[in-house]
Amino acid sequence: MLYLHATIVTVNADRDVILDGAILVKGDKIADIGKAAALLQRYPEEETIDITGRIIIPGLISTHMHTAQTLLRGAADDLELVSWLCERIWVLQGNFTAEDGYAAARISIAEMLLSGTTCFLESMFADRYGFDGLCRAVEESGIRGCLGKIVMDIATYAKDSAWAMHPGLVEDREVSLLGAISMWEKWDRKADDRIRVWFGARTPGGVSDGLYKEMTAISKEKNIPITMHCAEVKADRDFFESQNQTPMSYCSSVGLLGPNTVLVHMVHLDDSDIANLAETGTHVAHCPTSNAKLASGICRLPELLSSGVNVGLGTDGAPCNNTNDLLQEMKLAAIIHKAKSYDPTIISAEQVLEMATINGAKALGLQDSIGSLEIGKKADFVAIDMRRVHLQPHFSPVSAVVYSVTGRDVEMVVVDGKVVVKEGKLETMDEEKVWREAERRSREIVERAGLTEKVKGRWPLR
């Protein structure tokens, strides 16, 4: 298939932007890319699709999100992290069934595909949500999923025993670590290699040193990557200080640092932590909306990037962001650091698009196959319809994508050479069936948790 007459933002090594460009897809790969006239001349017999007036970008890569939490969208607004977790989110998640987990995965994936995300890193899927269902949802939908199965053996947050997990979420070594290995053996590289299984370790304080060391040893032996929340809030910093450590000296002591690890949030870091990340090649997932909404702080993104740390972008979960739209996350990532630094040049639109594409691919170890539009790479791309009042005029395609576009402007999504979103509609899932099932199950979860009155908000519902 030959896709013609688009503006193509390649994010290749030269960062070429091709005006009146074309992409030739053969099977699951990009067979050629360049000017439309040249490709038409080379492939006169090829079937064509005219996408004049669109911008094509690589498929977006979310390096941090929680699929289960999409059922809890809007159920815990305007709360700080620890009360958000202990009094609301953990209570709700502790009442999930495996069927709820499957429904949550489906609505999460549907939203991501419709808004241009073609690959995501699930950070911490609990056993009770039904990991098999998550994998089935990825397989059926056509998306790529790097799926973190939770690893834990301590049921509190940071160093405060009062911040306890809901009993329904508590797992031990056998269920979490050994369960993750079992799921890796069953599902890794399945669904035409679109599924990768990861360790999704709990935040330090939620995992014993011994279990961390066992997990990191297995990670190196079997090449199972690790993702983990770290240094998100001041309570995390207090935990590290109680161990006479900084965040990264602690992570180093249990073997967590290295190119097979994605650490998430990373708000409360010292200069030495940033240097340690750069030296070890450890990746970071930046989630500015979640950090702002939960008042966790602002990640030191400019310093991380200038030090050579690879940083991807993530939406986090729907209850602390309210959307899985990575295009919206891109805009905040480009803006929030300007406000903090009083420097409008400190983070550019181009850097943010890199974070959402090639940097994310590097973080997931997939940079040789996705993250940019190049011959021989997987045919994962997104067509954005720019023929709209709110998107015209524009002068820089990258600036337009980062500062003006939202997920609602996505017209077509291709993953592995297959069209999974066409004319803004899902091709692999029944969108109405997905959201109706999710809506029903979310209300059942709230009722089982006894939180019906608390999730209604502060103003009376008449």
Side-chain angles (χ1 to χ4, degrees):
M1 182 64 70
L2 187 56
Y3 297 86
L4 292 168
H5 302 307
T7 296
I8 303 174
V9 182
T10 65
V11 200
N12 64 12
D14 295 325
R15 300 303 190 256
D16 292 319
V17 177
I18 305 171
L19 303 178
D20 193 21
I23 297 177
L24 177 66
V25 174
K26 292 284 190 181
D28 62 354
K29 290 186 172 62
I30 296 173
D32 206 348
I33 186 169
K35 287 286 191 177
L39 267 66
L40 273 171
Q41 187 173 25
R42 285 201 289 271
Y43 311 103
E45 304 302 319
E46 193 67 41
E47 185 179 356
T48 63
I49 296 178
D50 188 328
I51 46 174
T52 301
R54 284 76 159 185
I55 292 175
I56 289 182
I57 60 173
L60 299 176
I61 299 166
S62 180
T63 52
H64 183 66
M65 68 91 58
H66 297 262
T67 50
Q69 289 185 0
T70 303
L71 288 194
L72 310 180
R73 193 193 319 264
D77 289 337
D78 307 323
L79 299 171
E80 54 80 34
L81 177 65
V82 176
S83 58
W84 179 88
L85 270 177
C86 299
E87 299 171 12
R88 201 70 61 88
I89 298 303
W90 278 345
V91 178
L92 291 164
Q93 291 180 162
N95 281 277
F96 265 57
T97 65
E99 292 77 15
D100 297 329
Y102 177 63
R106 279 167 55 79
I107 193 169
S108 298
I109 290 167
E111 183 182 359
M112 285 190 285
L113 286 175
L114 286 165
S115 55
T117 293
T118 59
C119 182
F120 71 99
L121 175 55
E122 157 63 52
S123 63
M124 212 161 51
F125 206 77
D127 186 72
R128 74 172 299 122
Y129 309 154
F131 198 86
D132 286 321
L134 172 62
C135 294
R136 286 201 324 275
V138 170
E139 185 173 41
E140 294 160 357
S141 67
I143 202 169
R144 297 187 191 280
C146 297
L147 310 178
K149 166 73 177 67
I150 195 168
V151 175
M152 64 166 292
D153 60 351
I154 299 173
T156 55
Y157 190 94
K159 66 185 184 71
D160 195 329
S161 59
W163 299 338
M165 295 182 80
H166 186 277
L169 291 176
V170 176
E171 299 183 27
D172 57 16
R173 170 186 175 273
E174 285 67 30
V175 174
S176 65
L177 179 64
L178 300 188
I181 295 169
S182 175
M183 290 296 100
W184 176 79
E185 292 170 345
K186 180 177 181 179
W187 284 104
D188 193 64
R189 297 184 182 269
K190 294 297 172 62
D192 299 322
D193 199 29
R194 287 184 288 104
I195 292 175
R196 303 293 174 93
V197 178
W198 287 46
F199 289 133
R202 275 204 68 212
T203 310
V207 183
S208 65
D209 288 4
L211 189 59
Y212 271 137
K213 290 176 181 177
E214 183 179 6
M215 178 190 70
T216 55
I218 294 169
S219 169
K220 292 176 176 64
E221 175 195 346
K222 297 182 180 293
N223 196 30
I224 303 176
I226 298 166
T227 187
M228 184 185 77
H229 297 67
C230 190
E232 182 177 3
V233 293
K234 290 180 180 178
D236 295 325
R237 194 62 202 239
D238 292 342
F239 168 80
F240 293 120
E241 290 175 357
S242 75
Q243 308 296 305
N244 296 313
Q245 302 269 19
T246 71
M248 293 307 96
S249 68
Y250 176 84
C251 288
S252 179
S253 74
V254 293
L256 281 163
L257 299 186
N260 238 19
T261 296
V262 175
L263 297 178
V264 184
H265 299 303
M266 303 290 277
V267 173
H268 299 276
L269 301 179
D270 291 343
D271 290 346
S272 64
D273 294 319
I274 295 174
N276 209 346
L277 288 165
E279 181 181 348
T280 58
T282 307
H283 310 280
V284 169
H286 181 35
C287 306
T289 300
S290 170
N291 296 155
K293 189 174 183 226
L294 293 172
S296 302
I298 298 176
C299 171
R300 295 176 63 186
L301 177 66
E303 293 94 331
L304 288 166
L305 293 177
S306 65
S307 297
V309 178
N310 182 56
V311 183
L313 198 63
T315 59
D316 208 342
C320 59
N321 185 320
N322 300 68
T323 181
N324 295 312
D325 180 352
L326 199 64
L327 284 159
Q328 293 189 49
E329 199 72 26
M330 287 164 61
K331 180 173 183 177
L332 184 62
I335 288 174
I336 196 168
H337 303 284
K338 303 178 192 301
K340 182 184 179 185
S341 65
Y342 301 100
D343 179 0
T345 70
I346 198 161
I347 297 293
S348 67
E350 288 80 4
Q351 285 175 297
V352 171
L353 185 59
E354 289 171 342
M355 289 167 61
T357 54
I358 193 62
N359 290 13
K362 290 175 183 175
L364 303 185
L366 301 174
Q367 67 272 23
D368 292 337
S369 57
I370 63 172
S372 61
L373 302 178
E374 303 179 67
I375 295 172
K377 281 196 169 186
K378 293 285 191 177
D380 289 15
F381 58 86
V382 176
I384 300 165
D385 190 350
M386 303 300 291
R387 302 169 302 170
R388 302 182 180 191
V389 168
H390 64 283
L391 299 179
Q392 292 294 341
H394 68 268
F395 302 96
S396 160
V398 175
S399 174
V401 168
V402 172
Y403 290 117
S404 301
V405 169
T406 72
R408 294 181 182 182
D409 302 312
V410 169
E411 181 184 41
M412 181 173 62
V413 178
V414 177
V415 183
D416 243 12
K418 299 180 177 66
V419 177
V420 293
V421 174
K422 182 179 180 181
E423 296 178 354
K425 303 293 183 184
L426 286 166
E427 293 285 287
T428 57
M429 309 168 77
D430 183 330
E431 184 177 344
E432 182 173 352
K433 185 176 180 181
V434 166
W435 73 255
R436 286 192 183 278
E437 175 77 359
E439 195 272 343
R440 177 179 67 82
R441 288 190 173 277
S442 69
R443 296 190 182 281
E444 291 173 355
I445 292 165
V446 169
E447 187 175 346
R448 285 199 298 272
L451 293 177
T452 302
E453 293 304 314
K454 287 191 175 181
V455 302
K456 286 182 177 179
R458 291 170 176 79
W459 290 354
L461 300 177
R462 301 296 188 190

